Amino acid sequence: MKPVSYLLLTQLLLGINFSMFAQKPLNFAEMLTYEYVQEGQKKEFSVYLDRKTSTWLFTNADSFGGTADGLEFVVAYPNGKYLVCGTDDVGQKFCQTFDSPLARKNTPKISGKALGKSRVFGQNKYGWPTLKAQLYQLNAGRMTQELYAATVSFDCRPLYAYNSLLEIEHYLPAFQQIDYPSYLLKNQLILAEQSPLNLTLLSISPTDYFVNLSEYRRIK
């Protein structure tokens, strides 16, 4: 993705009009927190979810570890649309649109077998929701991956497909090695991944996170 200030300057010089989002604020009522291992250290990242619409939110502070300079958040929709939103060098708020071909796949299927093991994730002392997942052996081309996945009521593809977008600068720590939307059902949520990351879902916690897209100008 080009630097924000360059994108804005280029479109202004070309005389292209910006358009404001005519949309009410988005509300995300749940936060999923994962733990993973990087360079021998345990780390965490969180993503937000509106399960009614299968809309996801990734924020700089919670999803990218505060390392995404100029980026505030990414809104991920189940139709494969992504809004990458931030603030440029002169304080202009923007949202740039991206598309994911992976999220457009209509007939993804689990490619592998259940191994007969189950596990409960998200156990905590706060009474937050837990999920029971089955262990699968996933065959993805030449790669074989064991993971725990649970059947949920929302579309998980926007979460997995984000890292496959072209021209983005910042990535989620997980879901990078396999084209999960092509091999998992859309309502299969990965709760643990047996890989060098040792990815594990820690919790699904209630929250109340609002994003007001009307404050941002849309660029393509």
Side-chain angles (χ1 to χ4, degrees), residues 29-214:
E30 294 175 274
M31 181 172 70
L32 285 70
T33 299
Y34 286 89
E35 180 182 81
Y36 66 101
V37 177
Q38 186 178 61
E39 297 179 351
Q41 295 185 345
K42 289 184 177 181
K43 299 184 179 182
E44 296 180 8
F45 76 95
S46 298
V47 294
Y48 295 87
L49 170 67
D50 174 10
R51 70 169 58 215
K52 292 181 180 179
T53 61
S54 294
T55 304
W56 297 77
L57 177 73
F58 317 137
T59 68
N60 183 18
D62 299 308
S63 308
F64 305 108
T67 62
D69 187 31
L71 175 68
E72 294 181 22
F73 58 85
V74 177
V75 180
Y77 295 99
N79 63 356
K81 295 287 185 181
Y82 291 81
L83 299 179
V84 179
C85 305
T87 304
D88 74 346
D89 295 338
V90 296
Q92 292 282 344
K93 292 181 177 291
F94 74 96
C95 280
Q96 187 173 4
T97 304
F98 289 85
D99 291 287
S100 170
L102 297 179
R104 295 197 196 102
K105 297 221 179 235
N106 295 320
T107 58
K109 298 179 181 179
I110 291 179
S111 175
K113 60 181 180 180
L115 299 180
K117 295 182 180 179
S118 63
R119 180 178 164 189
V120 176
F121 291 83
Q123 290 179 317
N124 55 77
K125 61 182 179 182
Y126 306 107
W128 295 341
T130 59
L131 286 173
K132 185 176 182 180
Q134 298 294 322
L135 179 63
Y136 291 93
Q137 179 178 291
L138 189 69
N139 301 315
R142 296 182 179 180
M143 294 188 65
T144 298
Q145 176 74 63
E146 288 190 2
L147 56 84
Y148 280 93
T151 301
V152 293
S153 62
F154 47 86
D155 194 334
C156 303
R157 292 175 299 173
L159 173 63
Y160 309 141
Y162 168 76
N163 280 339
S164 298
L165 293 177
L166 299 178
E167 298 186 52
I168 59 171
E169 296 178 355
H170 307 285
Y171 297 85
L172 295 174
F175 316 123
Q176 294 186 15
Q177 295 183 332
I178 295 178
D179 175 13
Y180 282 122
S182 294
Y183 294 97
L184 295 178
L185 298 171
K186 68 178 183 180
N187 62 339
Q188 291 288 318
L189 178 65
I190 296 174
L191 303 186
E193 184 186 63
Q194 296 185 3
S195 67
L197 289 177
N198 287 325
L199 181 74
T200 304
L201 179 75
L202 293 180
S203 65
I204 301 178
S205 57
T207 188
D208 202 13
Y209 198 105
F210 284 89
V211 170
N212 188 3
L213 291 179
S214 65

